[in-house]
Amino acid sequence: MYVCLCNGLTDRQIRAAIEQGGARTPAQVFRQLGCAPRCGKCLPFIAAMARRAEGEAESEESALACAR
Ligand code: FES
């Protein structure tokens, strides 16, 4: 699914930048993907994807800590 129409970025590309590239902000996502925001309409969605990934990482760490 296209998330950023201005740059033709899909959710898969953005997820890869977050999960594999370690991007934690929309600016870092754009930098990793070699482009820049234009209209800005996608920024809240990209920020939410990054927050969700951060939350999932923290949940995994908590689960591992509880399992120890
Ligand atoms: S939709 Fe991403 S900058 Fe316009």
Side-chain angles (χ1 to χ4, degrees):
M1 162 182 97
Y2 281 101
V3 172
C4 177
L5 296 178
C6 294
N7 289 295
L9 301 179
T10 65
D11 58 330
R12 286 184 184 192
Q13 289 173 293
I14 293 167
R15 196 170 301 120
I18 292 169
E19 293 176 0
Q20 293 156 25
R24 289 294 174 260
T25 64
Q28 291 172 345
V29 168
F30 279 104
R31 199 172 307 125
Q32 279 207 17
L33 296 174
C35 53
R38 294 183 195 162
C39 76
K41 287 183 180 173
C42 61
L43 296 180
F45 191 78
I46 295 173
M49 289 177 74
R51 279 195 306 273
R52 195 175 316 126
E54 188 81 23
E56 288 171 5
E58 287 177 10
S59 294
E60 286 175 18
E61 287 175 19
S62 296
L64 288 173
C66 290
R68 291 182 192 150

